[in-house]
Each structure stands twice: as structure tokens, then as C-alpha cells.
Amino acid sequence: MMRKGRKAPAGGPDPGPAGIAPAAASFGDFIGAWNELQGWRTPALHRRIGRWLEDRWRGGDTRLLLMVFRNAGKSTLVGLFCAWLLSRNPELRILVLAAEHELARKMTRTVRGIIERHPMTRELLPERLEEWASDRLTVRRARVERDPSLLARGLGANITGTRADIVVCDDVEVPNTADTPGKRAELRERLAETGFILVPGGTQLYVGTPHSYYSIYADEARGELEETTPFLDGFDRLVIPVRENGASVWPERFDEAAIDRIARETGPHRFKSQMMLVPTHMRDVRLDPDRLQRYDGPLEIREANGETVLSLAGRRMRRASAWWDPALGRPEKGDGSVVAVVYLDDDGNCFLHRLRYLVTAPDRLDGADEATFMCREVVALARELELPSITVESNGLGALLPGLLRQAVNDARLDTAVVAKSSSVPKERRILEALDPVLAARRLHVHESVWQSPFIREMREWSPGRSGGTDDALDAVAACIAAEPVHLRQSPRAAPRSTRPGAATPHQARTEFDPLAAKATDV
């Protein structure tokens, strides 16, 4: 659109406001021209975001993450960015992905409206609007391409065969894609497929706000998800919460009274996540992992003054409890078969030293049936950790296992007791009664290896009365803590250690493990 009283130069397009040619316009100029057309002023926040996007693009950065608080206009700015890029290079192919198809179409409609009205994009309008829809559009370009200039798709759509120079992931993480472990895993899998869509040297731009502690936008790896690096590791980030250094970043629209009102109406968790951009759960964490005491190092076993001494983190252990909650099959296809081992010192501190998932995959059975295989695994753990006894939950499947485990213990020449115990206490009550007191007193110490297990995730996501989550590790640990602990042997066994299989005097029981070799069993 030309300004009144100014003519377009002969033989060329309208140069836009202030005589700026479209191809030479900065993104800031492009934003300013659009806002002038709309009768808006450009806030400092938008100028800041615009500078960052342009600087990253001109600098050749191809992995970008833009996190800005809700209702800050970030999607409109990204739509302007897409239109600006097409005005500079009409041959570009842009794919917009969103959690749902309708959300992706909103971005396409935004870009289409900008191209139709912006004074710097009129040359992009094609002569025939054959591909000028709400989910795909093709601008006027020199080459004939199979893919449109801009294509909108939801995460569930089939995008096989599509190619793009730029992939914009706009609000791919929403409650519907991030409120359960299964949905979060599926989200990561779908986003990983964009690597096959993007051409070499292409650009990925993520735009959104976190909706979970396990957000794809988290800047730290979540060990309990088996991450060694954050999901978007290496991405250049611009993170702008509604408040920086205690002051609003957009005071004209979000003054302190407005921000306080949003905090009251949305609640502390949603405000922290959506407005302050801190990945967190959208509800209270009933079992807070921040109350755990973290430690590392092996279980130390030595003979001293005629006694067997077991130590963890420099403290002598006096009692031990081991609980096996059995199940058949693989944990991702049902309940997990979990063994929990807890030691206690004289001061009432509990040390959760080991969680082991017994995985009965066919390629690991080595000719044994599943029950026998699991019993052998438990016996190996009992030998390694000097366990005086193991309690087997005998409900259901467990009714057959105590006898098989006793036989396996005898075959291994261990004097570990096997106790069968059925449970009639509701699982929710058992978890609360066992874990609440030790967490409140901060007396539950957890080994580093357990932090890499599903136990921590289960703690963060567990809530009384809430169904749909997994709690295999929580249940096993709670039962282990609640069980009557057994005093550790304070004198050497009758047979010298050197005569028993796998024994040495003195020695340390190694609890570190190769995560690649033992990923399926030890956590």
C-alpha cells in the first residue's frame, strides 16, 4: 500500500515507507511498516525480538529457540519474519509445525494476510491464486518447486517427502502434547523427524512456552529421561519472561497490577511456566524430589575388629531392607518388575541405594524361563549388596516366586532370607505413609544412579487420586521403607569370605554401572 501523495517509481514496485526497497529493508523496518499500516506503535519488546531474529539470520545461525511469555505477540512477529524472509528470497520453502493442524493454519493465515497487505511484499502475490489457502501458499517465484512457499501442518500429519529450507515449530508443546510421559516421548519422536524434512544448512526455529518440568525447551538435561544433553542442546536462545530484574518488559501493556492479576488468576505454577518461562509442572508436586539428599559412591564393605562393616557416603549402615515387586514383561508394556534396596544408619537416615528393573526380554533369558531369570538377577543383587533378606510381594504373580527365589538363593550358597508378604494397604496410602515422613525430615538419601531412573519422574508427576501415570518405582521404594528392616550382620560369617563365590576380603561392592551395557536393567 502506497502512502498518499507518493507514487511508485516507474518500472518498479513501491519501495515502501521512507523509500526503502523491499529487498534492502531490515526486519525492523519491515515490522515498523506493518505496524504503521495497522495504526500501531512498535513496542521496545518487539524491536528487541526483531533484532535478535534478524541478527541470527544474517549471522548464519540455523538452530534458534524463541521463548517469550504468553500474549506477547510472538506468533505475529514470527509470521512477519516469515513474510520478510520470502520478500528477500521468494524461493524459500517454509514448513510450519504446530501441536494441532488448526494452530499451524493460524500462522499461515497470518503470513498470507501480511503478504496481501504489506507495502514491501506486493511483488510476492502470484498472478493466479492456485495455492493461496489457509494451510499452504505459494508466492511468485522464478523456479517451479514441488513444495509450496509456506506449508502448515499439525504434528500428527504425514510430512514424509516434504522438503523445507526453514522449519518453524510454533507452540508444538501444549498440554495436549506434554501432560503425560507417553505424550512427551511421542512429541520428541515427531520433532526428531524434522531432521529428514530440513535441507542441509536449513534453519529450525522453535517458538513457544514450557508446559512441563520435562519441557523440550528445558536448558538442562533431565537424567530421569535418560537425557545426557537438553533436547534443544546447541540452540541459540532468546528467553524473555514478563519480568526481568523485577520490572515488566512491556510496561505499556503489562504493568505491575496486570502482572499480579495474571499471577492470581492463573496460579503460581502456571504463572511460573507460562509467564516466567521456568519449566515446571502445572500443579503442586506432592512428593518433591528437591527434598531428597543426593549422594554418590559405592557400598563399602570391610572387616574391622572381627566385624563386617558396611558404609555409604562415609556413614556406617546398621540395617537393610530389600523389596521385590514382581511383574512379567517389559515396563513400557505394563507394570515393571522392580527391586528396591534401602539401608539405614543409627540416626534414622534412609539410603535408597539401588533400584533395579528386571527386564525379561527374550534375547536376555539365555534359555531360562522368565521367573527363573528374574530370581537369578535378584540373587546376584543380594550377593553384590550383602543383603541379609529380601521381601517378595506375594500378591498375584508373586505367590509363586518366594519358593523359586529360595531355591536360587540356596543354589548360590547365600544365607539371605526370603520373606513372602502380601499387601492389603491401598497403594496410594502406602506411598504417602512411607515417603511423606522421610521427605519432610529430609532423611531420604538417594544414590546418583537412582536419579537417572524413572523414580524421580514418578515423584514429580504423582498426585493422590490422579490416574494415568506410572508408579512402579514409587510403590517398590515405599514398600521397602515401610518393611521391617533387618539388622546387618555384625560378625564374619562362618565360612571365610575367600571360600564363597564372588567374595573377597576386604572389598568394595561396585555400584557404578555402564549405562549402555546395563541400560535395560540397572537404573
Side-chain angles (χ1 to χ4, degrees), residues 366-378:
D366 195 25
D369 61 84
E370 293 182 339
T372 300
F373 173 82
M374 289 192 295
C375 287
R376 290 174 181 172
E377 292 281 290
V378 174

Side-chain angles (χ1 to χ4, degrees), residues 296-454:
D296 201 359
L299 175 67
E300 298 180 356
I301 307 171
R302 60 189 176 86
E303 302 290 355
N305 299 322
E307 289 186 325
T308 303
V309 177
L310 279 71
S311 300
L312 285 172
R315 304 187 191 190
R316 181 171 181 175
M317 300 295 106
R318 295 292 187 177
R319 294 173 294 165
S321 178
W323 184 279
W324 179 15
D325 185 1
L328 290 177
R330 307 190 67 170
E332 66 269 22
K333 296 182 179 180
D335 291 341
S337 187
V338 186
V339 182
V341 178
V342 170
Y343 295 92
L344 296 90
D345 65 10
D346 284 330
D347 298 323
N349 293 295
C350 296
F351 289 77
L352 176 56
H353 192 64
R354 181 65 63 86
L355 272 178
R356 177 169 289 182
Y357 278 72
L358 307 178
V359 180
T360 56
D363 59 341
R364 303 190 67 249
L365 295 179
D366 195 25
D369 61 84
E370 293 182 339
T372 300
F373 173 82
M374 289 192 295
C375 287
R376 290 174 181 172
E377 292 281 290
V378 174
V379 167
L381 188 66
R383 184 194 305 281
E384 177 189 354
L385 300 181
E386 293 280 337
L387 296 178
S389 73
I390 297 173
T391 301
V392 183
E393 184 169 334
S394 56
N395 299 39
L397 170 69
L400 301 174
L401 290 176
L404 292 175
L405 183 57
R406 289 189 187 100
Q407 183 60 52
V409 166
N410 290 335
D411 292 343
R413 294 193 295 167
L414 295 181
D415 53 359
T416 300
V418 176
V419 179
K421 187 173 182 178
S422 62
S423 177
S424 59
V425 178
K427 183 186 295 187
E428 182 177 296
R429 177 181 157 194
R430 178 164 63 184
I431 290 172
L432 286 173
E433 290 181 350
L435 292 176
D436 259 353
V438 290
L439 287 174
R442 297 184 182 271
R443 291 187 177 274
L444 181 54
H445 300 250
V446 175
H447 190 265
E448 184 68 30
S449 64
V450 179
W451 277 85
Q452 313 306 317
S453 79

Side-chain angles (χ1 to χ4, degrees), residues 7 30 36 86 111 150 203 227 318 347 452:
K7 297 181 179 179
F30 193 87
E36 181 181 339
L86 288 171
V111 176
L150 192 145
T203 297
E227 288 183 342
R318 295 292 187 177
D347 298 323
Q452 313 306 317

Side-chain angles (χ1 to χ4, degrees), residues 198-217:
L198 200 64
V199 300
T203 297
Q204 286 181 291
L205 171 60
Y206 280 81
V207 186
T209 56
H211 285 265
S212 167
Y213 175 80
Y214 299 105
S215 172
I216 60 172
Y217 310 126

Side-chain angles (χ1 to χ4, degrees), residues 2 22 42 56 122 167 182-183 191 299 366 369 414 445 473:
M2 293 188 295
T42 304
R56 300 286 78 72
R122 61 177 53 198
V167 175
K183 289 180 181 179
L191 293 175
L299 175 67
D366 195 25
D369 61 84
L414 295 181
H445 300 250

Side-chain angles (χ1 to χ4, degrees), residues 477-488:
V477 172
C480 191
I481 292 174
E484 185 67 29
V486 177
H487 283 277
L488 296 167

Side-chain angles (χ1 to χ4, degrees), residues 63 188 213-235 237 452:
R63 306 172 78 198
R188 284 163 165 77
Y213 175 80
Y214 299 105
S215 172
I216 60 172
Y217 310 126
D219 59 2
E220 294 181 349
R222 304 304 191 206
E224 54 267 40
L225 300 184
E226 299 182 355
E227 288 183 342
T228 56
T229 60
F231 181 74
L232 297 181
D233 185 44
F235 275 63
R237 296 167 174 256
Q452 313 306 317

